[in-house]
Amino acid sequence: MIKRKHFVNLTFSLLAPLLWIPCLAQKKYEREYSIKPNAVPENAISFVSSVFKKAKIHWYREEGLTGKSIEAKLKSSGKRYSIEFDESGNIQDVEVLSRVDQMNSAGRAKLKENLGKKFSGYKIVKTQLHWNGSEKALKESLLKDKAVAGIVVRYELIVKGSQGKKEHYFEVLSENDGEVVSLKEIVQRNTDNLIY
Amino acid sequence: MRALVFVFLLFFILPVAVSGQSDYRAGSLSQINVNFKVLQNWKLNTKLETRQIFSEKEPEALASHRFRYERTDLSAVLTTKLSADNTLGGGYLVRLEDKKFTHRLIQQFNNVKNLDLVSIAHRIVTDETFSSGEPAEIRLRYRLGLEKPLNGLQIDPKEFYAKFNNEYLGIWSTKQTDLEIRGLLALGYNATDNNKVELGLEYRVSGFSETVRAQQFWLSIGWFISI
């Protein structure tokens, strides 16, 4: 015969290990979190505000195994921008949410051919235009809304693709001409707490 | 602020207001979920859940505000990944309540998408419940789940998140046909990607075929571990 007291004891015994959780979280990790503008280097703020006069800017700090960076995310004229700086506020690159059909037709055809070789089936779920170059060239590109001379244009795609019987999400970096620079499988976040 | 006022009204004022009229139960739901990876594409979820009642009112009876342990559920669900977003699973639950065992077979399908700002989960479940002296009960359930980081764009280790669930359950047996609606608002802490704790408030309403609705108010505590 099982008594009520035993179940209460069992429940509390099972809940007691919750106290251990802070100890279990001591591993290395990558994270990003929002920060206030006063925690952002002055040159990063002045770069963004010199280009986007009225936009509401959200600032984030990213900490990973490869270092720390600061990112400004904003929406302006219907476009979503992500501007990355190093810890000192020096601009690193600019990403603009885009569509793959913004790529030139020859590049798009080449990319389609290359992705067809990598996957038995795939779907592009997100496309970002990736600009890399000097601070001056990046600023000019943002103001003119197109990549100027000196800017390396790449496309960063999130692809849901099948390799054999398995389907995963991948991050694909492509040159403007459709040549695939890198292809990385995205480790999906644990969502067990949404399933059960 | 509006959300806080809503939650306060829902879980603190409403129970007092309804306690004089309809049937209700209020208490705590504590659950521990342990997920094991078995083989390449398979996962086994084991769950231990207990319910404790703090206050209740049965039909044609006065309200009781005495603490009592109600029941314990132990379940195991085996799931496989169908694709990047979809999983399919089946399992078994055994319930101990009033020294009697209840058995349940579970079949479930899930679709989870991690978007830029929020994760959206759809869960469809059918289950069949068997207990001695009671007609078999079949339920069809749909649950929408939303999860949002409270800092930044993704839920990182050592960060808090908000979770909202809304579930609809159709219930059929030879004795009754009913609908139950559930809503959960929870605060979660992601200690690591494989270790999460959630504390929330859950409201359930059923008895739509009756003249008086039955309501439930739960303080929900969940611990999710993946091994």
Side-chain angles (χ1 to χ4, degrees), chain A residues 111 154-155 172-183:
Chain A
L111 178 65
R154 284 176 166 169
Y155 283 83
V172 179
L173 190 63
S174 161
E175 297 285 11
N176 200 23
D177 64 2
E179 201 63 54
V180 172
V181 179
S182 66
L183 186 146

Side-chain angles (χ1 to χ4, degrees), chain A residues 10 34-35 61 65 88 100 113 115 117 130 138 146 176 183 190:
Chain A
L10 176 66
S34 57
I35 52 172
R61 182 186 289 276
L65 300 175
S88 310
V100 76
E113 185 190 327
L115 292 178
K117 286 179 193 165
H130 205 273
L138 286 169
K146 65 172 187 181
N176 200 23
L183 186 146
N190 185 339

Side-chain angles (χ1 to χ4, degrees), chain A residues 34-86:
Chain A
S34 57
I35 52 172
K36 292 188 173 164
N38 60 16
V40 178
E42 190 56 44
N43 45 343
I45 292 205
S46 64
F47 179 89
V48 176
S49 55
S50 67
V51 179
F52 302 100
K53 308 267 192 257
K54 292 177 185 171
K56 188 179 177 187
I57 303 149
H58 298 273
W59 291 96
Y60 300 92
R61 182 186 289 276
E62 287 186 358
E63 294 176 3
L65 300 175
T66 51
K68 295 173 182 174
S69 63
I70 288 163
E71 203 165 19
K73 287 185 183 288
L74 57 105
K75 193 175 174 184
S76 177
S77 306
K79 289 188 173 181
R80 288 186 185 276
Y81 295 87
S82 178
I83 304 165
E84 194 174 328
F85 301 87
D86 67 14

Side-chain angles (χ1 to χ4, degrees), chain A residues 103-155:
Chain A
M103 193 185 249
N104 65 72
S105 59
R108 209 162 61 234
K110 177 88 174 171
L111 178 65
K112 195 177 170 185
E113 185 190 327
N114 284 330
L115 292 178
K117 286 179 193 165
K118 306 273 184 196
F119 304 109
S120 52
Y122 71 89
K123 184 184 174 191
I124 297 169
V125 294
K126 187 179 176 184
T127 306
Q128 278 185 305
L129 194 56
H130 205 273
W131 288 345
N132 217 318
S134 68
E135 181 178 335
K136 190 180 166 212
L138 286 169
K139 187 172 182 175
E140 200 182 336
S141 300
L142 285 168
L143 289 168
K144 290 184 175 172
D145 197 22
K146 65 172 187 181
V148 299
I151 292 289
V152 177
V153 178
R154 284 176 166 169
Y155 283 83

